[in-house]
């Protein structure tokens, strides 16, 4: 096991559970609380000119506080590496959850998950962000099967707001909107709607609307906007998918219309709202647990937390204790942690 000095005494690294382009994800234990976390480890050499993406993702995740967006607890930077300590999603990828035999979800189960995606994306857009890389691998589940969006490395917050055009072509073609693969100027909000249409189709059908081994055939299919509508699709879900997979972005359903769409609200009391976790809420039980260990007054700990950049070990300890409390578990801190916050 490679020892990372930067994590010593803070996190116990366990097995690697995923490795993507320039990052690998390891399971770990936050020593102070014993809570499981995921640590995304990136080495700066192989990041190369993708380095700004990490700063972008950290900046976005620090701002985004939502029950369906994977939480960032701590960032540790050394000369050679970035470590992003992130919320543990032991349910893995949503699409693995669908399982091989069933390979598709019922309309009711699809709706349950899709509403959570819509809630996260509506919140994202309300803050002027676009994800731009919505795809099955970036939709995880936590231990209670709550959906968590991950990987905001490509998310954009155009300087003059969500309605200003982006140009960078990014994300994977299979989920990319026509205007994006044509290299046209596009709106982040509109390409996210297209990608969500592809996700909804995959949930309801168990396969992708546009798929081909050759990239030019794949492009041709996407630009044609034609895809199969299997017999099991209800007319309401067909209408919604058609509204999202509109080639012309100006004809595509907007996120606000999506929140109120009949298919989305069917069986639910209310449209999707992007009410999110408030910012840092003060919790006296957590603060008194921390102050008992480190001998500082709870009010001093809170002042330091609010003033901090919210990515240090004290913040991670506070947030993980708060998670434990919200799950009805006891609040405990190992005495060894005292020296680390
Ligand atoms: O907690 C995460 N993943 C994760 C944790 C535990 C388990 C699994 C998965 C499934 C594999 N069986 C063991 C249980 C986890 C959290 C955050 C991020 C993350 C946030 N921004 N960027 C990455 C990535 C994560 O993972 C990637 C992954 C690995 C294997 C499969 C599915 C997903």
């Amino acid at each position: 096991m490679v020892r990372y000095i930067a994590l010593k005494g803070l996190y116990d690294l366990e097995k690697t559970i995923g490795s993507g382009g320039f990052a690998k994800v390891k399971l770990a234990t936050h020593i102070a609380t014993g809570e499981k976390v995921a640590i995304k480890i990136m080495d700066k050499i192989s990041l190369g000119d993708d380095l700004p993406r990490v700063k972008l993702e950290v900046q976005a995740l620090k701002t985004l506080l939502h029950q369906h967006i994977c939480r960032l607890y701590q960032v540790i930077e050394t000369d050679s590496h970035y470590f992003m300590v992130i919320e543990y999603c032991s349910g893995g990828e949503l699409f693995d959850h669908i399982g091989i035999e069933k390979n598709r979800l019922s309309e009711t189960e699809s709706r349950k998950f899709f509403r959570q995606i819509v809630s996260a994306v509506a919140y994202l857009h309300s803050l002027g962000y676009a994800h731009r890389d919505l795809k099955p691998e970036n939709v995880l589940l936590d231990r209670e099967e709550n959906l968590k969006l991950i990987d905001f490395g490509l998310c954009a917050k155009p300087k003059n707001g969500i309605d200003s055009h982006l140009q960078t072509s990014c994300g994977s073609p299979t989920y990319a909107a026509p205007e994006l693969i044509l290299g046209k100027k596009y709106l982040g909000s509109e390409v996210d709607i297209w990608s969500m249409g592809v996700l909804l189709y995959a949930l309801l059908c168990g396969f992708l609307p546009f798929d081909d081994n050759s990239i030019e055939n794949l492009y041709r299919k996407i630009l044609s906007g034609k895809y199969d509508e299997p017999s099991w699709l209800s007319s309401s879900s067909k209408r919604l998918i058609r509204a999202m997979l509109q080639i012309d972005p100006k004809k595509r359903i907007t996120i606000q219309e999506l929140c109120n769409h009949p298919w989305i609200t069917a069986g639910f009391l209310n449209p999707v709202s992007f009410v999110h976790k408030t910012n840092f809420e003060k919790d006296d039980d957590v603060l008194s647990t921390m102050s008992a260990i480190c001998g500082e007054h709870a009010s001093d700990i809170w002042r330091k937390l609010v003033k901090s950049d919210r990515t240090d070990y004290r913040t991670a300890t506070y947030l993980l204790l708060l998670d434990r409390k919200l799950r009805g578990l006891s609040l405990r801190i190992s005495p060894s942690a005292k020296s680390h916050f």
Side-chain angles (χ1 to χ4, degrees), residues 61-242:
L61 286 178
K62 277 170 65 176
T63 316
L64 300 170
L65 301 174
H66 189 277
Q67 57 277 23
H68 299 306
I69 291 177
C70 220
R71 188 71 188 262
L72 175 69
Y73 294 125
Q74 182 172 2
V75 178
I76 300 173
E77 181 180 356
T78 65
D79 299 345
S80 56
H81 287 88
Y82 274 111
F83 302 89
M84 289 175 67
V85 182
I86 305 172
E87 185 172 0
Y88 180 69
C89 305
S90 61
E93 289 173 28
L94 168 62
F95 284 76
D96 290 344
H97 164 84
I98 293 176
I100 315 301
E101 66 296 335
K102 280 190 302 179
N103 81 23
R104 69 173 192 264
L105 291 182
S106 70
E107 192 159 298
T108 310
E109 228 194 338
S110 300
R111 179 177 296 116
K112 180 191 80 168
F113 286 122
F114 194 65
R115 280 175 63 99
Q116 294 178 11
I117 297 175
V118 173
S119 172
V121 174
Y123 166 70
L124 208 55
H125 291 183
S126 73
L127 292 183
Y129 283 96
H131 188 285
R132 294 200 296 171
D133 195 17
L134 291 171
K135 58 186 177 185
E137 300 90 299
N138 288 342
V139 181
L140 303 189
L141 297 176
D142 70 6
R143 48 171 80 80
E144 281 94 26
E145 285 199 4
N146 296 309
L147 185 137
K148 302 282 178 182
L149 276 195
I150 65 167
D151 230 340
F152 289 73
L154 283 177
C155 82
K157 181 175 189 174
K159 40 199 167 311
N160 26 25
I162 187 96
D163 301 333
S164 73
H165 284 93
L166 295 158
Q167 178 77 42
T168 346
S169 141
C170 52
S172 7
T174 315
Y175 312 96
E179 64 272 20
L180 207 154
I181 59 178
L182 283 173
K184 289 181 177 172
K185 284 194 172 306
Y186 62 86
L187 287 184
S189 54
E190 292 170 346
V191 301
D192 279 352
I193 294 286
W194 175 280
S195 307
M196 286 202 287
V198 176
L199 281 174
L200 177 58
Y201 185 98
L203 285 172
L204 289 165
C205 300
F207 48 83
L208 292 165
F210 313 106
D211 206 358
D212 201 292
N213 295 330
S214 95
I215 193 83
E216 51 270 16
N217 287 344
L218 174 63
Y219 279 4
R220 217 190 319 276
K221 289 178 181 177
I222 294 170
L223 295 176
S224 78
K226 286 188 178 38
Y227 53 86
D228 286 344
E229 289 185 332
S231 57
W232 60 77
L233 285 181
S234 69
S235 49
S236 174
S237 47
K238 282 184 210 169
R239 270 197 296 277
L240 175 55
I241 293 170
R242 264 184 234 132

